[in-house]
């Protein structure tokens, strides 16, 4: 059986300005500590290394506008600084803020992060590895087609998904599952009208939590209605049990029911909205049981929802035809 692949690129030269280096959270250590943990757990020897590479302009332009990519390239000659988000279009440009930082290495780091995910995806498609883990920075899921924000410059997952859907990649459908605590607003915006991509996100939501998007009612549009599934957790404390319950009750049934045609299953918006809205307050109750808390949470959740959602009935799906 093919091994699991690993792409690692911490790009140590992409650094916050000296004034923010001790406090900014997007630093090389964010990924190097994970790499060291893999080594300590003796997992590195069991992984097949895949060499990172820079994403090409054509690969990036399958997701981002030419203006976006030009603005990213211009950072190589700009004075290193802290800024807010960048937006394209009339009246766009950089806003004031301290979230985003850039230096002469930022554009290269973003291209290598995106290219590393593409390289890993291509290795899976060639059958060289069964799956893979891309340990790269900067991150990407807040980057839109014409916006850089939330530490993100290029949307690496979106670039890899589009590469997989290209004639060279050969896929007809891609599932993107985003379980970061923040909603992947950039990834959603890129694919919300693309019926070839099912985007599934679990995240904190409400009370001003960044980025403020990802309501359960956002389900995609046009031919891709139902291909965006948001599970907005409205309070802290969600752990393994809650995430596994969401995978069991929502993700797996929806993914299995996804037809090969370009028409989305009509049940998706209803299923996503009803289930996620029922999680306004997690079903975590005090108990004198000696079972571990995570086990009690899973049991309580299943009791409140039944034994779990099985595959969607055939009647919920439109007639299937080749894409």
């Amino acid at each position: 059986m093919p091994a699991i692949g690993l792409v690692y690129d911490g790009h140590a030269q992409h650094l916050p300005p000296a004034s923010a280096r001790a406090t900014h959270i997007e630093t090389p250590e964010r990924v190097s500590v994970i790499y060291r943990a893999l080594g300590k757990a003796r997992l590195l020897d069991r992984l097949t290394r895949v060499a990172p590479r820079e994403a090409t302009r054509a690969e990036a332009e399958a997701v981002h506008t030419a203006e976006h990519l030009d603005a990213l390239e211009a950072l190589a000659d700009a004075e290193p600084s802290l800024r807010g988000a960048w937006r394209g279009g009339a009246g766009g440009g950089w806003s004031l803020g301290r979230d985003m930082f850039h230096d002469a290495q930022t554009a290269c780091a973003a291209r290598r992060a995106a290219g590393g995910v593409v390289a890993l995806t291509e290795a899976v498609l060639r059958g060289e590895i069964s799956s893979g883990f891309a340990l790269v920075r900067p991150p990407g899921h807040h980057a839109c087609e014409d916006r850089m924000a939330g530490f993100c410059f290029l949307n690496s997952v979106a670039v890899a998904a589009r590469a997989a859907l290209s004639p060279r990649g050969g896929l007809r459908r891609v599932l993107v599952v985003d379980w970061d605590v923040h909603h992947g607003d950039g990834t959603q915006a890129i694919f919300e009208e693309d019926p070839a991509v099912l985007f599934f996100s679990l995240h904190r939501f409400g009370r001003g939590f960044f980025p403020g998007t990802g309501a359960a009612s956002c389900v995609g549009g046009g031919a891709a209605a139902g291909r965006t599934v948001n599970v907005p957790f409205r309070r802290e404390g969600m752990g393994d049990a809650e995430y596994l319950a969401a995978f069991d009750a929502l993700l797996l049934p929806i993914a299995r029911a996804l037809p090969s045609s370009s028409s989305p299953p009509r049940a998706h918006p209803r299923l996503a909205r009803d289930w996620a809205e029922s999680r306004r307050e997690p079903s975590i109750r005090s108990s004198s049981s000696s079972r571990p808390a995570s086990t009690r949470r899973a049991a309580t959740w299943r009791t409140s929802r039944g034994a779990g959602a099985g595959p969607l009935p055939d009647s919920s799906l439109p007639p299937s035809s080749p894409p």
Side-chain angles (χ1 to χ4, degrees):
M1 178 182 293
I4 298 173
L6 171 69
V7 165
Y8 174 59
D9 188 48
H11 211 95
Q13 291 76 38
H14 171 56
L15 295 168
S19 61
R21 200 159 296 169
T23 57
H24 204 287
I25 63 174
E26 213 299 274
T27 64
E29 289 75 23
R30 190 175 63 83
V31 294
S32 64
V33 70
I34 299 173
Y35 185 81
R36 290 195 299 272
L38 291 174
K40 187 175 181 180
R42 299 182 179 179
L43 293 175
L44 290 177
D45 292 340
R46 299 167 59 184
L47 301 174
T48 296
R49 298 297 291 268
V50 176
R53 64 168 176 83
E54 292 190 22
T56 66
R57 174 87 181 199
E59 288 169 337
E61 279 191 334
V63 170
H64 299 287
T65 65
E67 182 187 13
H68 180 115
L69 299 180
D70 290 343
L72 176 62
E73 294 302 323
L75 296 180
D77 300 318
E79 187 71 20
S81 66
L82 289 165
R83 298 189 183 185
W86 179 90
R87 294 179 182 274
W94 289 97
S95 63
L96 296 176
R98 297 182 63 82
D99 285 348
M100 304 285 283
F101 67 85
H102 64 79
D103 58 17
Q105 297 297 320
T106 296
C108 179
R111 290 193 303 267
R112 283 179 64 86
V117 181
V118 174
L120 197 67
T121 301
E122 290 174 335
V124 172
L125 294 176
R126 290 192 299 265
E128 298 170 1
I129 54 176
S130 60
S131 58
F133 176 40
L135 185 54
V136 296
R137 62 177 288 271
H141 74 159
H142 295 306
C144 303
E145 65 173 8
D146 61 351
R147 181 171 182 256
M148 296 179 249
F151 315 149
C152 304
F153 298 88
L154 295 177
N155 195 309
S156 301
V157 166
V159 172
R162 283 276 161 81
L165 291 166
S166 70
R168 179 179 177 181
L171 296 189
R172 294 188 300 175
R173 294 173 293 160
V174 168
L175 167 64
V176 176
V177 180
D178 188 332
W179 67 88
D180 187 84
V181 68
H182 302 101
H183 178 240
D185 53 335
T187 311
Q188 175 178 299
I190 289 166
F191 293 124
E192 61 186 353
E193 295 189 358
D194 186 345
V197 177
L198 171 61
F199 174 66
F200 186 96
S201 178
L202 307 98
H203 49 269
R204 277 281 307 280
F205 180 76
R207 300 181 183 178
F209 196 78
F210 182 85
T213 55
S217 57
C218 296
V219 296
R227 299 294 171 100
T228 294
V229 182
N230 284 305
V231 182
F233 293 130
R234 296 179 177 271
R235 54 171 285 180
E236 296 179 352
M238 301 298 182
D240 290 349
E242 287 75 27
Y243 276 71
L244 290 172
F247 289 162
D248 180 59
L250 275 178
L251 175 59
L252 292 179
I254 290 174
R256 288 168 178 160
L258 193 67
S260 60
S261 74
S262 59
S263 300
R266 292 188 296 271
H268 287 187
R270 172 184 54 78
L271 181 61
R273 181 170 56 251
D274 292 351
W275 192 91
E277 288 299 324
S278 74
R279 301 271 65 79
R280 289 180 183 274
E281 294 296 333
S283 299
I284 304 175
R285 302 165 188 162
S286 60
S287 171
S288 59
S289 170
S290 60
R291 291 180 295 170
S294 60
T295 305
R296 293 199 303 271
R297 287 197 297 269
T300 303
W301 201 313
R302 282 183 166 271
T303 298
S304 65
R305 291 293 300 169
L312 297 177
D314 292 340
S315 61
S316 69
L317 306 179
S320 185
S321 59

